């Protein structure tokens, strides 16, 4: 009866409510207060939201946003005809605002319930797989504070709102700028170059999000190697005892016809899902206040549901969450018990500041306590990367992850969100945690990561993979690597088995490109390639060698895969406004990509062409 009355009241109130203003692109200056308003978990449009002398109205998704607020504490008032008003208090810092989740209910117009941020007490109820709060006397509404999501029903006075902003969080470190591009190196001065492989693909999804939102991606999020490696190529499967094959190809450079391009392709051995060793997975989910929007925690819940659907009885899943504190929501549970795992995921709600360090500590402890010898032991960290409480500095986070990787537990990081999204932090954690990094901008991307590329996401077939090239000065006057700026290694690191490098997942491929200034018109072996790797549980590296031969191919005589990889790299150079882009143009990118599109069974190459067309306009 109450639900029917609520629906009737909502219909009436929406008819009387002012029309929400059209969405606009706003660049926030100063602090922000944003959030979502719901009733019975249904978004409420038309709610009047007041902060000091400013007013907003929730949109069709129940969302609102205030920008440009000065540092300080604010009273936020929510009103809608037929529902009890709610008053919240939120603290805003200059670089870190507040995200609120407000729940309204049918009641007297004069009723007001105030929820304030104070020292929280977090209790864990494993049977409910949720967080609860201690009810304090003398507080209207019955709740003091709130660190992680989960509102308890049935408390004295009833809980209809929860504020998730905490006092004065530590501002997160500023994002790193784009690393300086590799420059041309004279082969007579240094003929050898070394780098760690990179199988991350997050940059492409992030660039796509910017372009589809009619924005130019900032240079620091355009990592050309991740754009190139987003796509699959027709590299051969390995045929010997090594877990990957090596392919090389040389052709003309389209943006500088006088130069040559060297492509290196490394293909990991495919693995059928049913042949995977048992998985010991710890889902580490950020449920802080900034994770409330639909493209963050709600998207992650849907993404992890896809992964849960692929689990087997021998797999185990634990769920750890963190906001102002960390907690174990789900103890290790068999992959066969999908109902329990999904119920735990569904129970999660956002709220609080972001103490990622505590969450990482707890997640690794759970993974270590239930370690499967010979299995795939992995923490999957999903967050917007906005660490603002506890361990917050880049150096401290790096040190923490480097310590944890000694346990033999691998790390996957999943990034979401925009505004305060920390792309650099997410990449760092994956690189230092012997893992991989993806960015989810949609459920389709989640399907790519957790369904199409499941074995690559979960199963590491080689770790600390390093590549070293030695160019022949007789054929190469100078060279530069395209991308991989933050994966460069000193040449002496190649033989050092203590030096951390990149990991390769089952079925994953790695593509690297070098631009070469030829020393002669003669063609021949331009470089010798050496590769070192360790087995996933090994400490001693193994060595492979190969050669790169220039046979005089033009850009359009190259294989379709090389043409497409070159088109993607050229696109990245245009987005970054590279100093080395030469005669590069969107028209040239489109011509190369269209010629090399091929069968395109997954539609990703066609999507790339559409993105280039959008960028061109």
């Amino acid at each position: 009866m109450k639900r029917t009355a609520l629906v009737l009241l909502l219909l009436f109130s929406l008819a009387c409510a002012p029309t929400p203003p059209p969405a606009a692109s706003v660049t926030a200056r100063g602090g922000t207060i944003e959030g979502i308003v719901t009733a019975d978990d249904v978004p409420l449009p038309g709610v009047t939201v007041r902060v000091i002398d400013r007013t907003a109205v929730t949109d069709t998704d129940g969302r609102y946003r205030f920008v440009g607020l000065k540092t300080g504490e604010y009273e936020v008032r929510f009103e809608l005809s037929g529902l009890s008003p709610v008053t919240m208090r939120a603290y805003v810092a200059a670089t870190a605002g507040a995200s609120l989740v407000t729940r309204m209910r049918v009641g007297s117009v004069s009723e007001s319930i105030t929820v304030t941020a104070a020292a929280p007490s977090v209790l864990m109820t494993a049977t409910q797989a949720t967080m609860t709060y201690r009810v304090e006397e003398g507080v209207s509404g019955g709740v003091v504070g709130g660190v992680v999501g989960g509102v308890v029903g049935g408390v004295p006075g009833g809980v209809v709102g929860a504020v998730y902003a905490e006092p004065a969080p530590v501002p997160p470190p500023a994002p790193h700028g784009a690393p300086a591009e590799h420059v041309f190196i004279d082969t007579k001065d240094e003929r050898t170059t070394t780098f760690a492989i990179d199988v991350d693909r997050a940059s492409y999804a992030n660039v796509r999000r910017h372009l589809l939102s009619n924005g130019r991606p900032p240079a620091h999020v355009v990592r050309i190697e991740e754009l190139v490696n987003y796509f699959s190529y027709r590299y051969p499967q390995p045929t010997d005892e090594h877990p990957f094959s090596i392919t090389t190809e040389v052709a003309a450079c389209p943006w500088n016809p006088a130069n040559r391009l060297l492509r290196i392709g490394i293909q990991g051995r495919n693995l059928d899902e049913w042949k995977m060793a048992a998985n010991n997975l710890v889902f580490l989910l950020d449920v802080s206040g900034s994770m409330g929007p639909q493209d963050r925690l709600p998207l992650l819940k849907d993404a992890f549901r896809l992964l849960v659907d692929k689990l087997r009885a021998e797999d185990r899943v634990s769920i750890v969450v963190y906001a102002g504190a960390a907690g174990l929501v789900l103890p290790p549970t068999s992959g066969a018990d999908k109902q329990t795992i999904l119920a735990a995921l569904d129970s999660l709600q956002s709220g609080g500041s972001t103490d990622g360090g505590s969450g990482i500590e707890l997640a690794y402890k759970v993974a270590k306590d239930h370690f499967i010898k010979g299995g795939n032991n992995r923490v999957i960290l999903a967050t917007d990367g906005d660490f603002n409480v506890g361990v917050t500095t880049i150096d401290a986070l790096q040190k923490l992850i480097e310590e944890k990787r000694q346990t033999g537990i691998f790390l996957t990081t999943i990034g979401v969100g925009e505004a305060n999204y920390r792309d650099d932090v997410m990449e760092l954690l994956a690189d230092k945690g012997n893992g991989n990094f993806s960015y989810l901008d949609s459920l389709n991307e989640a399907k790519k990561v957790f369904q199409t590329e499941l074995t690559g996401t979960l199963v590491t077939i080689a770790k600390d993979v390093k590549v070293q090239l030695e160019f022949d000065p007789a054929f190469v006057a100078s060279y530069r690597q395209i991308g991989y700026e933050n994966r460069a290694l000193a040449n002496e690191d190649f033989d050092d088995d203590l030096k951390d490098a990149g990991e390769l997942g089952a079925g994953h491929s790695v593509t690297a490109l070098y631009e070469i200034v030829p020393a002669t018109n003669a063609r021949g072996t331009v470089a010798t390639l050496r590769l070192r790797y360790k087995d996933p549980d090994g400490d001693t590296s193994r060595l492979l060698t190969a050669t790169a031969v220039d046979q005089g191919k033009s850009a359009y005589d190259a294989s379709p895969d090389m043409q497409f990889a070159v088109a993607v790299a050229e696109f990245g150079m245009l987005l970054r406004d590279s100093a080395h882009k030469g005669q590069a143009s969107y028209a040239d990118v489109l011509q190369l990509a269209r010629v090399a599109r091929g069968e395109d069974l997954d539609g990703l190459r066609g999507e790339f062409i559409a993105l280039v067309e959008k960028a061109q306009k």
Side-chain angles (χ1 to χ4, degrees):
M1 190 68 184
K2 277 189 174 181
R3 186 177 293 272
T4 303
L6 174 60
V7 171
L8 291 173
L9 281 168
L10 288 178
L11 291 173
F12 174 76
S13 61
L14 288 176
C16 302
T19 303
S25 177
V26 180
T27 300
R29 296 185 180 277
T32 64
I33 293 178
E34 61 185 354
I36 182 171
V37 184
T38 66
D40 283 352
D41 294 326
V42 177
L44 284 181
V47 177
T48 300
V49 187
R50 292 187 174 88
V51 175
I52 48 178
D53 58 348
R54 298 168 63 177
T55 301
V57 178
T58 57
D59 62 17
T60 54
D61 294 321
R63 299 187 180 280
Y64 64 92
R65 191 177 190 221
F66 296 92
V67 299
L69 299 172
K70 295 180 180 179
T71 299
E73 188 176 34
Y74 291 86
E75 182 177 278
V76 188
R77 176 82 170 174
F78 303 85
E79 296 177 334
L80 181 61
S81 176
L83 302 183
S84 299
V86 176
T87 302
M88 293 182 170
R89 296 186 183 279
Y91 188 89
V92 173
T95 57
S99 280
L100 310 181
V101 177
T102 309
R103 298 174 180 84
M104 303 183 75
R105 68 174 183 179
V106 177
S108 168
V109 175
S110 61
E111 181 183 0
S112 177
I113 298 172
T114 303
V115 186
T116 59
S121 175
V122 185
L123 308 174
M124 188 61 58
T125 56
T127 55
Q128 294 177 318
T130 186
M131 297 285 189
T132 62
Y133 305 113
R134 175 183 299 154
V135 178
E136 303 287 354
E137 296 296 330
V139 179
S140 176
V143 171
V144 177
V147 212
V148 263
V151 176
V152 184
V155 298
V159 180
V160 298
V163 61
Y164 297 132
E166 294 205 345
V170 179
H176 291 312
E181 287 186 288
H182 290 301
V183 298
F184 282 96
I185 298 173
D186 194 319
T187 311
K188 292 180 180 178
D189 296 330
E190 180 56 75
R191 63 174 67 184
T192 304
T193 175
T194 307
F195 67 97
I197 67 162
D198 188 357
V199 298
D200 298 337
R201 288 93 182 272
S203 179
Y204 183 87
N206 201 3
V207 165
R208 177 175 60 199
R209 172 179 65 84
H210 280 282
L211 291 173
L212 293 180
S213 300
N214 296 313
R216 186 184 182 93
H220 74 270
V221 308
V222 182
R223 294 185 291 275
I224 294 177
E225 69 277 10
E226 294 186 27
L227 271 60
V228 173
N229 284 321
Y230 185 80
F231 300 92
S232 59
Y233 302 100
R234 296 170 183 84
Y235 297 134
Q237 280 288 300
T239 56
D240 55 20
E241 76 277 13
H242 298 293
F244 39 73
S245 66
I246 300 174
T247 300
T248 61
E249 186 175 5
V250 182
C253 176
W255 57 84
N256 192 338
N259 291 351
R260 311 292 290 168
L261 285 176
L262 164 62
R263 177 180 65 129
I264 301 166
I266 301 170
Q267 176 62 56
R269 179 174 283 118
N270 289 331
L271 176 68
D272 292 330
E273 292 176 19
W274 62 271
K275 291 182 179 179
M276 282 195 299
N279 292 298
N280 169 32
L281 305 178
V282 179
F283 298 171
L284 175 55
L285 282 81
D286 179 355
V287 293
S288 63
S290 65
M291 294 292 291
Q294 190 64 36
D295 63 345
R296 302 190 189 191
L297 184 58
L299 174 59
L300 286 175
K301 287 183 181 181
D302 291 339
F304 278 99
R305 291 181 72 93
L306 297 173
L307 175 53
V308 171
D309 185 57
K310 307 285 279 187
L311 296 178
R312 306 156 303 174
E314 60 266 37
D315 299 326
R316 289 201 298 254
V317 171
S318 309
I319 299 178
V320 172
V321 298
Y322 67 90
L328 177 63
V329 170
L330 180 74
T333 301
S334 168
D337 192 359
K338 300 187 190 308
Q339 185 175 358
T340 298
I341 300 172
L342 294 177
L345 281 172
D346 290 342
S347 72
L348 301 179
Q349 299 182 50
S350 62
S353 52
T354 316
D355 187 0
S358 295
I360 291 169
E361 291 276 9
L362 179 56
Y364 271 93
K365 181 181 185 303
V366 173
K368 185 178 180 181
D369 288 347
H370 301 277
F371 192 89
I372 299 176
K373 189 173 182 180
N376 300 315
N377 299 277
R378 185 174 296 268
V379 171
I380 304 179
L381 166 61
T383 175
D384 58 14
D386 184 19
F387 299 100
N388 53 37
V389 170
V391 178
T392 61
T393 67
I394 292 289
D395 290 343
L397 285 167
Q398 177 175 333
K399 182 179 179 181
L400 175 62
I401 290 296
E402 287 175 340
E403 290 173 354
K404 298 305 178 186
R405 76 173 180 227
Q406 305 303 322
T407 61
I409 298 164
F410 292 86
L411 176 70
T412 289
T413 60
I414 306 293
V416 292
E418 36 187 307
N420 60 337
Y421 171 58
R422 294 303 310 275
D423 180 75
D424 56 326
V425 175
M426 301 300 290
E427 183 191 23
L428 172 83
L429 296 181
D431 288 349
K432 301 303 179 183
N434 282 354
N436 44 54
F437 166 36
S438 298
Y439 176 84
L440 303 186
D441 60 335
S442 65
L443 190 58
N444 282 337
E445 185 65 16
K447 292 176 181 177
K448 183 176 187 289
V449 173
F450 286 141
Q451 289 185 334
T452 307
E453 300 174 353
L454 179 66
T455 56
T457 301
L458 297 184
V459 182
T460 297
I461 60 174
K463 69 179 183 181
D464 293 337
V465 184
K466 309 172 208 174
V467 178
Q468 186 169 82
L469 282 171
E470 183 176 348
F471 289 98
D472 187 342
F475 294 99
V476 179
S478 61
Y479 60 89
R480 77 174 191 95
Q481 189 173 21
I482 301 172
Y484 289 90
E485 287 86 2
N486 55 7
R487 306 295 278 170
L489 296 174
N491 289 329
E492 56 268 25
D493 291 338
F494 183 73
D495 294 317
D496 182 359
D497 279 355
L498 297 179
K499 186 66 178 180
D500 180 57
E503 280 62 48
L504 187 68
H508 273 173
S509 64
V510 177
T511 299
L513 296 168
Y514 279 84
E515 184 175 355
I516 295 170
V517 177
T520 175
N521 290 328
R523 304 305 181 198
T525 301
V526 296
T528 299
L529 183 150
R530 294 182 285 270
L531 184 149
R532 283 196 178 276
Y533 74 95
K534 298 174 189 172
D535 293 327
D537 56 355
D539 296 318
T540 303
S541 66
R542 304 174 69 182
L543 176 67
L544 283 77
T545 60
T547 57
V549 180
D550 188 350
Q551 299 175 330
K553 293 180 181 179
S554 71
Y556 288 93
D557 287 332
S559 67
D561 275 351
M562 181 162 184
Q563 291 178 18
F564 194 84
V566 169
V568 177
E570 186 174 357
F571 182 53
M573 292 169 64
L574 288 167
L575 291 178
R576 286 188 57 146
D577 193 22
S578 167
H580 303 286
K581 67 180 183 294
Q583 302 173 22
S585 67
Y586 290 109
D588 191 53
V589 172
L590 287 169
Q591 185 174 358
L592 272 172
R594 286 168 178 155
V595 167
R597 178 175 176 173
E599 292 179 341
D600 194 24
L601 297 178
D602 56 12
L604 294 178
R605 295 191 178 194
E607 178 193 70
F608 170 77
I609 291 170
L611 285 179
V612 178
E613 290 171 341
K614 188 173 183 63
Q616 184 182 36
K617 294 175 182 177

